[in-house]
Amino acid sequence: MATEEGAETTSPLDDVMADIRRELVRRVAADDRDSNRDIYDALEDE
């Protein structure tokens, strides 16, 4: 079966790495929100 030009196939390792990246981004964003809670609260009040 031919693949389309530009189409990417992902390996199980690529899937795991993408999951890890998503989790890291989620954790960093949550930590940032916690660290800067007063700024986020002030922005919500505007």
PDB file of all heavy atoms in Angstrom, residues 3 6-10 13-14 16 20 24 26 28-29 31-32 34-35 37 44-45:
ATOM      1  N   THR A   3       1.852   5.169   0.541  1.00  0.00           N
ATOM      2  CA  THR A   3       1.457   6.231   1.469  1.00  0.00           C
ATOM      3  C   THR A   3       1.417   7.549   0.721  1.00  0.00           C
ATOM      4  O   THR A   3       2.138   7.750  -0.252  1.00  0.00           O
ATOM      5  CB  THR A   3       2.440   6.343   2.647  1.00  0.00           C
ATOM      6  OG1 THR A   3       3.745   6.616   2.125  1.00  0.00           O
ATOM      7  CG2 THR A   3       2.474   5.058   3.457  1.00  0.00           C
ATOM      8  N   GLY A   6       3.944  13.260   2.214  1.00  0.00           N
ATOM      9  CA  GLY A   6       3.793  14.125   3.367  1.00  0.00           C
ATOM     10  C   GLY A   6       3.083  13.471   4.536  1.00  0.00           C
ATOM     11  O   GLY A   6       3.024  14.023   5.612  1.00  0.00           O
ATOM     12  N   ALA A   7       2.525  12.285   4.321  1.00  0.00           N
ATOM     13  CA  ALA A   7       1.834  11.596   5.412  1.00  0.00           C
ATOM     14  C   ALA A   7       2.886  10.991   6.334  1.00  0.00           C
ATOM     15  O   ALA A   7       3.875  10.432   5.886  1.00  0.00           O
ATOM     16  CB  ALA A   7       0.921  10.514   4.872  1.00  0.00           C
ATOM     17  N   GLU A   8       2.667  11.160   7.624  1.00  0.00           N
ATOM     18  CA  GLU A   8       3.623  10.626   8.586  1.00  0.00           C
ATOM     19  C   GLU A   8       3.038   9.398   9.271  1.00  0.00           C
ATOM     20  O   GLU A   8       1.861   9.368   9.599  1.00  0.00           O
ATOM     21  CB  GLU A   8       3.940  11.666   9.651  1.00  0.00           C
ATOM     22  CG  GLU A   8       4.664  12.873   9.117  1.00  0.00           C
ATOM     23  CD  GLU A   8       5.023  13.843  10.224  1.00  0.00           C
ATOM     24  OE1 GLU A   8       5.193  13.405  11.374  1.00  0.00           O
ATOM     25  OE2 GLU A   8       5.121  15.032   9.925  1.00  0.00           O
ATOM     26  N   THR A   9       3.875   8.414   9.456  1.00  0.00           N
ATOM     27  CA  THR A   9       3.459   7.260  10.243  1.00  0.00           C
ATOM     28  C   THR A   9       4.125   7.402  11.601  1.00  0.00           C
ATOM     29  O   THR A   9       5.272   7.824  11.706  1.00  0.00           O
ATOM     30  CB  THR A   9       3.882   5.942   9.581  1.00  0.00           C
ATOM     31  OG1 THR A   9       5.300   5.944   9.410  1.00  0.00           O
ATOM     32  CG2 THR A   9       3.204   5.761   8.237  1.00  0.00           C
ATOM     33  N   THR A  10       3.404   7.093  12.649  1.00  0.00           N
ATOM     34  CA  THR A  10       3.971   7.219  13.979  1.00  0.00           C
ATOM     35  C   THR A  10       4.187   5.846  14.577  1.00  0.00           C
ATOM     36  O   THR A  10       3.380   4.937  14.405  1.00  0.00           O
ATOM     37  CB  THR A  10       3.049   8.041  14.912  1.00  0.00           C
ATOM     38  OG1 THR A  10       1.779   7.404  14.985  1.00  0.00           O
ATOM     39  CG2 THR A  10       2.865   9.447  14.391  1.00  0.00           C
ATOM     40  N   LEU A  13       6.645   4.428  19.992  1.00  0.00           N
ATOM     41  CA  LEU A  13       7.529   5.317  20.739  1.00  0.00           C
ATOM     42  C   LEU A  13       7.135   6.775  20.525  1.00  0.00           C
ATOM     43  O   LEU A  13       7.112   7.564  21.480  1.00  0.00           O
ATOM     44  CB  LEU A  13       8.988   5.100  20.335  1.00  0.00           C
ATOM     45  CG  LEU A  13      10.007   6.002  21.028  1.00  0.00           C
ATOM     46  CD1 LEU A  13       9.963   5.812  22.543  1.00  0.00           C
ATOM     47  CD2 LEU A  13      11.398   5.750  20.489  1.00  0.00           C
ATOM     48  N   ASP A  14       6.797   7.145  19.289  1.00  0.00           N
ATOM     49  CA  ASP A  14       6.343   8.510  19.006  1.00  0.00           C
ATOM     50  C   ASP A  14       5.082   8.835  19.794  1.00  0.00           C
ATOM     51  O   ASP A  14       4.943   9.941  20.326  1.00  0.00           O
ATOM     52  CB  ASP A  14       6.067   8.699  17.512  1.00  0.00           C
ATOM     53  CG  ASP A  14       7.325   8.647  16.668  1.00  0.00           C
ATOM     54  OD1 ASP A  14       8.419   8.970  17.183  1.00  0.00           O
ATOM     55  OD2 ASP A  14       7.205   8.263  15.486  1.00  0.00           O
ATOM     56  N   VAL A  16       4.131   7.501  22.658  1.00  0.00           N
ATOM     57  CA  VAL A  16       4.487   7.632  24.073  1.00  0.00           C
ATOM     58  C   VAL A  16       5.163   8.978  24.326  1.00  0.00           C
ATOM     59  O   VAL A  16       4.850   9.675  25.298  1.00  0.00           O
ATOM     60  CB  VAL A  16       5.402   6.468  24.517  1.00  0.00           C
ATOM     61  CG1 VAL A  16       5.997   6.723  25.891  1.00  0.00           C
ATOM     62  CG2 VAL A  16       4.632   5.165  24.509  1.00  0.00           C
ATOM     63  N   ILE A  20       3.983  12.006  26.823  1.00  0.00           N
ATOM     64  CA  ILE A  20       4.856  12.578  27.840  1.00  0.00           C
ATOM     65  C   ILE A  20       4.936  14.091  27.683  1.00  0.00           C
ATOM     66  O   ILE A  20       4.850  14.836  28.667  1.00  0.00           O
ATOM     67  CB  ILE A  20       6.256  11.932  27.782  1.00  0.00           C
ATOM     68  CG1 ILE A  20       6.178  10.475  28.237  1.00  0.00           C
ATOM     69  CG2 ILE A  20       7.264  12.725  28.619  1.00  0.00           C
ATOM     70  CD1 ILE A  20       7.442   9.675  27.992  1.00  0.00           C
ATOM     71  N   LEU A  24       3.826  16.858  30.442  1.00  0.00           N
ATOM     72  CA  LEU A  24       4.758  17.876  30.930  1.00  0.00           C
ATOM     73  C   LEU A  24       4.183  19.279  30.752  1.00  0.00           C
ATOM     74  O   LEU A  24       4.278  20.113  31.655  1.00  0.00           O
ATOM     75  CB  LEU A  24       6.104  17.765  30.210  1.00  0.00           C
ATOM     76  CG  LEU A  24       6.997  16.622  30.655  1.00  0.00           C
ATOM     77  CD1 LEU A  24       8.207  16.508  29.739  1.00  0.00           C
ATOM     78  CD2 LEU A  24       7.439  16.797  32.096  1.00  0.00           C
ATOM     79  N   ARG A  26       1.053  20.083  30.605  1.00  0.00           N
ATOM     80  CA  ARG A  26      -0.054  20.222  31.562  1.00  0.00           C
ATOM     81  C   ARG A  26       0.475  20.532  32.962  1.00  0.00           C
ATOM     82  O   ARG A  26      -0.024  21.422  33.645  1.00  0.00           O
ATOM     83  CB  ARG A  26      -0.878  18.937  31.588  1.00  0.00           C
ATOM     84  CG  ARG A  26      -2.171  19.044  32.397  1.00  0.00           C
ATOM     85  CD  ARG A  26      -2.793  17.690  32.672  1.00  0.00           C
ATOM     86  NE  ARG A  26      -1.964  16.855  33.525  1.00  0.00           N
ATOM     87  CZ  ARG A  26      -1.834  17.030  34.853  1.00  0.00           C
ATOM     88  NH1 ARG A  26      -2.461  17.985  35.456  1.00  0.00           N
ATOM     89  NH2 ARG A  26      -1.061  16.216  35.556  1.00  0.00           N
ATOM     90  N   VAL A  28       3.462  21.818  33.829  1.00  0.00           N
ATOM     91  CA  VAL A  28       4.108  23.139  33.874  1.00  0.00           C
ATOM     92  C   VAL A  28       3.048  24.235  33.910  1.00  0.00           C
ATOM     93  O   VAL A  28       3.171  25.199  34.668  1.00  0.00           O
ATOM     94  CB  VAL A  28       5.073  23.331  32.685  1.00  0.00           C
ATOM     95  CG1 VAL A  28       5.528  24.771  32.559  1.00  0.00           C
ATOM     96  CG2 VAL A  28       6.279  22.400  32.834  1.00  0.00           C
ATOM     97  N   ALA A  29       2.002  24.092  33.110  1.00  0.00           N
ATOM     98  CA  ALA A  29       0.933  25.093  33.103  1.00  0.00           C
ATOM     99  C   ALA A  29       0.236  25.143  34.461  1.00  0.00           C
ATOM    100  O   ALA A  29      -0.050  26.227  34.979  1.00  0.00           O
ATOM    101  CB  ALA A  29      -0.073  24.783  31.998  1.00  0.00           C
ATOM    102  N   ASP A  31       1.520  24.323  37.376  1.00  0.00           N
ATOM    103  CA  ASP A  31       2.454  24.918  38.328  1.00  0.00           C
ATOM    104  C   ASP A  31       2.536  26.426  38.136  1.00  0.00           C
ATOM    105  O   ASP A  31       2.582  27.183  39.101  1.00  0.00           O
ATOM    106  CB  ASP A  31       3.838  24.283  38.177  1.00  0.00           C
ATOM    107  CG  ASP A  31       4.803  24.754  39.245  1.00  0.00           C
ATOM    108  OD1 ASP A  31       4.445  24.652  40.439  1.00  0.00           O
ATOM    109  OD2 ASP A  31       5.899  25.231  38.892  1.00  0.00           O
ATOM    110  N   ASP A  32       2.521  26.867  36.877  1.00  0.00           N
ATOM    111  CA  ASP A  32       2.544  28.304  36.588  1.00  0.00           C
ATOM    112  C   ASP A  32       1.299  28.981  37.147  1.00  0.00           C
ATOM    113  O   ASP A  32       1.387  30.054  37.745  1.00  0.00           O
ATOM    114  CB  ASP A  32       2.645  28.533  35.082  1.00  0.00           C
ATOM    115  CG  ASP A  32       2.671  30.004  34.728  1.00  0.00           C
ATOM    116  OD1 ASP A  32       3.659  30.676  35.080  1.00  0.00           O
ATOM    117  OD2 ASP A  32       1.686  30.489  34.134  1.00  0.00           O
ATOM    118  N   ASP A  34      -0.509  27.972  39.646  1.00  0.00           N
ATOM    119  CA  ASP A  34      -0.405  27.975  41.105  1.00  0.00           C
ATOM    120  C   ASP A  34       0.585  29.044  41.586  1.00  0.00           C
ATOM    121  O   ASP A  34       0.326  29.737  42.567  1.00  0.00           O
ATOM    122  CB  ASP A  34       0.019  26.605  41.627  1.00  0.00           C
ATOM    123  CG  ASP A  34      -1.056  25.544  41.424  1.00  0.00           C
ATOM    124  OD1 ASP A  34      -2.231  25.917  41.200  1.00  0.00           O
ATOM    125  OD2 ASP A  34      -0.711  24.352  41.479  1.00  0.00           O
ATOM    126  N   SER A  35       1.706  29.175  40.884  1.00  0.00           N
ATOM    127  CA  SER A  35       2.729  30.144  41.272  1.00  0.00           C
ATOM    128  C   SER A  35       2.269  31.582  41.079  1.00  0.00           C
ATOM    129  O   SER A  35       2.712  32.481  41.778  1.00  0.00           O
ATOM    130  CB  SER A  35       4.007  29.925  40.461  1.00  0.00           C
ATOM    131  OG  SER A  35       4.549  28.659  40.717  1.00  0.00           O
ATOM    132  N   ARG A  37      -1.057  32.628  40.987  1.00  0.00           N
ATOM    133  CA  ARG A  37      -2.497  32.624  41.251  1.00  0.00           C
ATOM    134  C   ARG A  37      -3.051  34.037  41.416  1.00  0.00           C
ATOM    135  O   ARG A  37      -4.116  34.357  40.912  1.00  0.00           O
ATOM    136  CB  ARG A  37      -2.783  31.795  42.514  1.00  0.00           C
ATOM    137  CG  ARG A  37      -4.220  31.761  42.970  1.00  0.00           C
ATOM    138  CD  ARG A  37      -5.236  31.286  41.944  1.00  0.00           C
ATOM    139  NE  ARG A  37      -4.900  30.056  41.290  1.00  0.00           N
ATOM    140  CZ  ARG A  37      -5.408  29.706  40.095  1.00  0.00           C
ATOM    141  NH1 ARG A  37      -6.252  30.483  39.454  1.00  0.00           N
ATOM    142  NH2 ARG A  37      -5.076  28.577  39.544  1.00  0.00           N
ATOM    143  N   GLU A  44      -9.108  37.560  36.097  1.00  0.00           N
ATOM    144  CA  GLU A  44     -10.485  37.071  36.051  1.00  0.00           C
ATOM    145  C   GLU A  44     -11.467  38.114  36.559  1.00  0.00           C
ATOM    146  O   GLU A  44     -12.610  38.177  36.117  1.00  0.00           O
ATOM    147  CB  GLU A  44     -10.629  35.793  36.886  1.00  0.00           C
ATOM    148  CG  GLU A  44     -10.030  34.567  36.232  1.00  0.00           C
ATOM    149  CD  GLU A  44     -10.161  33.335  37.102  1.00  0.00           C
ATOM    150  OE1 GLU A  44     -10.745  33.422  38.196  1.00  0.00           O
ATOM    151  OE2 GLU A  44      -9.685  32.283  36.661  1.00  0.00           O
ATOM    152  N   ASP A  45     -11.009  38.959  37.490  1.00  0.00           N
ATOM    153  CA  ASP A  45     -11.872  39.970  38.082  1.00  0.00           C
ATOM    154  C   ASP A  45     -12.089  41.178  37.161  1.00  0.00           C
ATOM    155  O   ASP A  45     -12.954  41.999  37.417  1.00  0.00           O
ATOM    156  CB  ASP A  45     -11.313  40.440  39.430  1.00  0.00           C
ATOM    157  CG  ASP A  45     -11.358  39.330  40.469  1.00  0.00           C
ATOM    158  OD1 ASP A  45     -12.168  38.389  40.292  1.00  0.00           O
ATOM    159  OD2 ASP A  45     -10.597  39.404  41.446  1.00  0.00           O
TER     160      ASP A  45
END
